[in-house]
Amino acid sequence: MSRKAARTAGRRAGPRTLTGAQVVWECLTREGVSHVFGYPGGAILPVYDAMPAYPVHHVLARHEQGAVHMADGFARAGGGVGVAMATSGPGATNMVTGIATAMMDSSPLVCITGQVSSALIGSDAFQETDITGVTLPITKHNYLVTETDDIAPALREAFYIARSGRPGPVLVDITKDAQQGACAFDWNAAEPTPPGYRPDHRPRAGDLRHALDLINGASRPVMLVGHGVILAGAEGLLKAFAERTTIPVAMTLLGIGAFPGSHPLNLGMMGLHGEAWVNEAVQQADLLIALGMRFDDRVTGKLADFAPRARKIHVEIDPAELNKNVQVDVGLIGDVREVLETLLPGVAPNDHSAWLARIEDLRRHATARSIQSFEDDGHLYAAHAIHDLWQATRGTALVVTDVGQHQMWEAQYYRHDAARSLITSGGLGPMGFALPAAIGARLARPDADVWAVVGDGGFQMTMAELGTMVQEGVKVNVAIINNGCLGMVRQLQTFFYGARYHATPLVNPDFVTLASAYGIRGIRVTERAGVTPAVHEAAAHGGPVLLDIRVESDDAVYPMVAAGAGLDQMIRRPAQEAIR
Ligand SMILES: Cc1cc2nc3c(=O)[nH]c(=O)nc-3n(C[C@H](O)[C@H](O)[C@H](O)COP(=O)(O)OP(=O)(O)OC[C@H]3O[C@@H](n4cnc5c(N)ncnc54)[C@H](O)[C@@H]3O)c2cc1C
Ligand SMILES: Cc1ncc(C[n+]2csc(CCOP(=O)(O)OP(=O)(O)O)c2C)c(N)n1
Ligand SMILES: [Mg+2]
């Protein structure tokens, strides 16, 4: 069915008789879904069989984990809801890592699984897994649908819940007999009315006044900006707020891009691998204004020592996050965009030049220890490779990272000016995220220059998705930061386990040859001078390009706050002489 025909069908009055499988696609079409990422099997086959009549493009992943990460990357890049689909049993259980990833990072997904027929439920039938039971703690909500009539209400509610309030993944498990049955399809009657679910919160007037008093009276304020600002689309308001108040902005890993990286008020990333001056500023601040971030333990370090001199304001859409980790003076429950809109007229233009000068001093001091200021000693360091990738792409790429050292170096050395230009898994941090999430991101934003920056370990967890990339004709460039080891874990062994490197060295395949097996151009880079030309070659090439960037393995991400230490007790990079 063409898009036009589908729209006409949508306007047709009165209920029509459809199979459950057709209802699934009707609902997806009416929800505006353009792509579904999935993998078929017996229990979901009625749905797949009905698919061709609908204007939705199905992307066949190579593994259901990949399908969910693709849907997640699609949602994070494009701002809509990502949709993934799988069969019962192993198909559904393979989705678990992807669903948990989306849950931890508040990413809106609808995952649809087939289930054995309702008469067989509980009989240990072939490929029967209680997936609603399995995913109960890792979904925002889930449904087991055993009646054809219930499919449309469940799916409409699933989309509503996934995208409203604090976004998150919702799973809809549909038995095979419900897919095969028939019902009178009535879109309007399926309007979502989930009982007890109230995602619309507004802060109290008294709390707003209190917040304004604190903001207007602070002399060493810092804004802590998180993913919620991007989810709310509040970047413009944040910039106006920061510029009017001249309050500097620190970002969480997932908040990167919410405020332009090149803006003079941008401090950079805070946290256990945050920049030294940012953590020091947080610790010295007299006011923290936390916007759409959840005080993750990677951000706070030892809670008892966190920002001891600061009053704290927390703007947050989920009441459960308020005073969960950090006790605050003022909690403003609501959408950060609406809250900033309300606060903006009441904030006084301010001059914090003395405070900004003090932070600038901290920054100058820390920069002397940055690897960027070290002269080239013939080794290729990951930080240099990422810095050069940033320069060669003029900072305009949409970068999707995996998990590990390269992820932290990307956050430190690739400067992001736009929201949704860095996609990374923060809360769960599953290796294998980058390649499939980058495929989803590129499908959501076909004009973006998408780069997957991935470790040699994580790449091998989902590298089969190169097949999806080729089958779909998707141009994602891949930069493998190849240090020959599980770098982030090796780093822990270096510092805390007497440099006993058990189970962290990797024997890798020849990634360039591997790429060629998929018909993908591969380029090996072994010295710093090779990075920029390789990035330019990738940009000029019509299809995807894979760079195997061989970097120094004996390196660590600095600064580093050890587990249980305060945010200002950072292990710093030794001076250049010391590492020679
Ligand atoms: C190896 C590794 C190292 C890491 N090191 C660091 C580090 O050094 N520094 C760091 O910052 N992170 C680090 N992380 C990431 C960290 O674990 C967390 O994922 C991250 O700090 C969470 O950022 P966040 O709170 O902004 O985003 P999320 O976890 O996505 O939380 C967003 C918050 O915003 C709220 N929200 C959503 N929508 C709205 C809205 N419309 N209005 C208001 N509120 C809203 C949500 O309810 C939620 O509380 C690391 C991760 C890994 C894997
Ligand atoms: C699925 C999964 N297993 C284990 C880990 C623990 N872990 C975190 S980082 C890391 C090493 C990653 O190595 P690599 O992908 O090569 O990246 P590097 O740190 O070397 O840049 C490991 C094993 C994880 N995050 N995810
Ligand atoms: Mg590695």
Side-chain angles (χ1 to χ4, degrees):
M1 193 191 284
S2 70
R3 273 175 201 279
K4 194 169 165 216
R7 275 200 303 275
T8 313
R11 274 188 248 110
R12 208 179 287 159
R16 288 177 296 142
T17 300
L18 297 180
T19 66
Q22 289 170 321
V23 170
V24 169
W25 293 108
E26 278 284 342
C27 290
L28 295 184
T29 309
R30 287 163 192 252
E31 291 290 351
V33 174
S34 58
H35 291 74
V36 167
F37 303 89
Y39 210 95
I44 191 74
L45 214 43
V47 170
Y48 272 88
D49 194 45
M51 177 171 74
Y54 294 85
V56 179
H57 181 71
H58 180 267
V59 175
L60 178 65
R62 294 299 181 269
H63 187 291
E64 291 82 353
Q65 177 188 351
V68 184
H69 290 329
M70 284 176 206
D72 191 346
F74 186 88
R76 295 193 205 207
V81 177
V83 180
M85 189 175 279
T87 191
S88 65
T93 56
N94 271 355
M95 289 179 129
V96 164
T97 299
I99 295 173
T101 303
M103 183 69 180
M104 291 290 275
D105 290 350
S106 296
S107 192
L109 296 187
V110 169
C111 297
I112 299 169
T113 46
Q115 181 57 277
V116 300
S117 282
S118 51
L120 295 174
I121 283 185
S123 71
D124 291 338
F126 176 63
Q127 297 195 328
E128 180 189 2
T129 300
D130 172 10
I131 198 63
T132 48
V134 170
T135 59
L136 189 67
I138 55 163
T139 48
K140 187 172 171 188
H141 197 51
N142 68 24
Y143 301 82
L144 169 61
V145 182
T146 58
E147 305 282 344
T148 310
D149 279 333
D150 296 339
I151 294 176
L155 277 173
R156 281 199 74 173
E157 215 168 272
F159 276 89
Y160 173 61
I161 291 175
R163 61 162 76 98
S164 56
R166 178 181 187 164
V170 180
L171 180 129
V172 184
D173 192 30
I174 310 174
T175 59
K176 194 169 181 181
D177 53 326
Q179 297 167 42
Q180 288 166 324
C183 71
F185 172 69
D186 189 342
W187 175 252
N188 295 329
E191 172 101 32
T193 49
Y197 178 63
R198 284 195 48 249
D200 294 330
H201 298 280
R202 302 259 180 297
R204 289 197 297 247
D207 292 334
L208 286 163
R209 275 196 301 276
H210 188 186
L212 282 173
D213 288 346
L214 291 180
I215 294 166
N216 291 334
S219 38
R220 297 188 312 280
V222 175
M223 280 198 264
L224 307 183
V225 166
H227 191 198
V229 171
I230 297 170
L231 289 166
E235 310 87 58
L237 281 163
L238 168 65
K239 188 157 169 279
F241 190 94
E243 287 175 349
R244 176 182 285 214
T245 57
T246 66
I247 298 179
V249 175
M251 285 173 275
T252 66
L253 176 67
L254 295 187
I256 289 175
F259 191 72
S262 53
H263 196 285
L265 287 168
N266 167 54
L267 298 182
M269 185 173 79
M270 65 188 115
L272 269 54
H273 287 302
E275 304 286 5
W277 63 86
V278 191
N279 289 346
E280 282 162 351
V282 169
Q283 292 300 82
Q284 292 178 20
D286 68 351
L287 178 68
L288 294 183
I289 307 164
L291 304 175
M293 54 82 75
R294 61 180 173 84
F295 290 110
D296 183 88
D297 55 53
R298 306 276 104 178
V299 166
T300 60
K302 185 179 173 190
L303 277 173
D305 295 350
F306 177 67
R309 297 169 194 84
R311 310 289 293 275
K312 297 171 187 88
I313 299 170
H314 193 185
V315 182
E316 171 57 61
I317 205 162
D318 181 355
E321 287 296 338
L322 206 67
N323 296 317
K324 186 179 89 177
N325 296 333
V326 170
Q327 293 296 311
V328 296
D329 298 272
V330 186
L332 301 176
I333 295 293
D335 175 51
V336 62
R337 189 190 165 111
E338 289 174 14
V339 174
L340 283 176
E341 248 161 19
T342 313
L343 288 176
L344 198 55
V347 291
N350 221 322
D351 173 23
H352 291 298
S353 46
W355 171 229
L356 294 172
R358 190 149 138 199
I359 298 174
E360 206 41 50
D361 263 2
L362 296 169
R363 192 199 295 255
R364 252 194 307 275
H365 175 73
T367 305
R369 284 162 169 272
S370 165
I371 192 164
Q372 295 303 346
S373 8
F374 290 9
E375 57 197 57
D376 195 348
D377 62 2
H379 293 261
L380 176 54
Y381 290 100
H384 289 153
I386 285 163
H387 172 272
D388 294 355
L389 173 69
W390 166 58
Q391 296 261 293
T393 55
R394 301 180 315 284
T396 58
L398 192 172
V399 182
V400 185
T401 80
D402 215 71
V403 176
Q405 288 183 316
H406 64 281
Q407 178 187 29
M408 296 295 107
W409 282 315
E410 202 285 347
Q412 294 177 343
Y413 295 114
Y414 196 107
R415 189 176 292 169
H416 291 270
D417 278 329
R420 302 185 187 277
S421 68
L422 170 61
I423 293 177
T424 191
S425 160
L428 192 75
M431 293 165 67
F433 175 80
L435 180 62
I439 294 171
R442 171 78 184 194
L443 286 167
R445 304 242 304 268
D447 296 332
D449 176 20
V450 178
W451 279 83
V453 172
V454 54
D456 45 335
F459 179 68
Q460 292 183 72
M461 286 207 170
T462 54
M463 66 187 181
E465 302 303 347
L466 289 176
T468 309
M469 199 158 94
V470 171
Q471 185 163 347
E472 290 293 324
V474 170
K475 177 170 168 62
V476 165
N477 293 318
V478 180
I480 302 179
I481 306 298
N482 183 354
N483 55 7
C485 64
L486 302 174
M488 189 53 105
V489 179
R490 184 184 189 278
Q491 164 164 353
L492 297 176
Q493 292 171 326
T494 305
F495 288 109
F496 309 116
Y497 293 87
R500 293 181 294 278
Y501 298 125
H502 306 315
T504 46
L506 288 169
V507 174
N508 289 326
D510 177 339
F511 291 119
V512 170
T513 308
L514 181 86
S516 77
Y518 285 95
I520 293 172
R521 178 179 299 184
I523 304 172
R524 182 165 303 116
V525 179
T526 54
E527 54 180 12
R528 184 157 187 190
V531 178
T532 301
V535 173
H536 287 151
E537 195 177 332
H541 187 61
V545 173
L546 181 149
L547 309 186
D548 174 15
I549 307 178
R550 300 280 177 93
V551 300
E552 183 62 44
S553 56
D554 198 15
D555 195 3
V557 180
Y558 297 98
M560 170 171 152
V561 178
L567 204 51
D568 44 5
Q569 292 158 22
M570 289 168 275
I571 304 172
R572 306 292 300 281
R573 183 174 283 280
Q576 187 169 24
E577 296 68 41
I579 61 166
R580 274 191 171 146

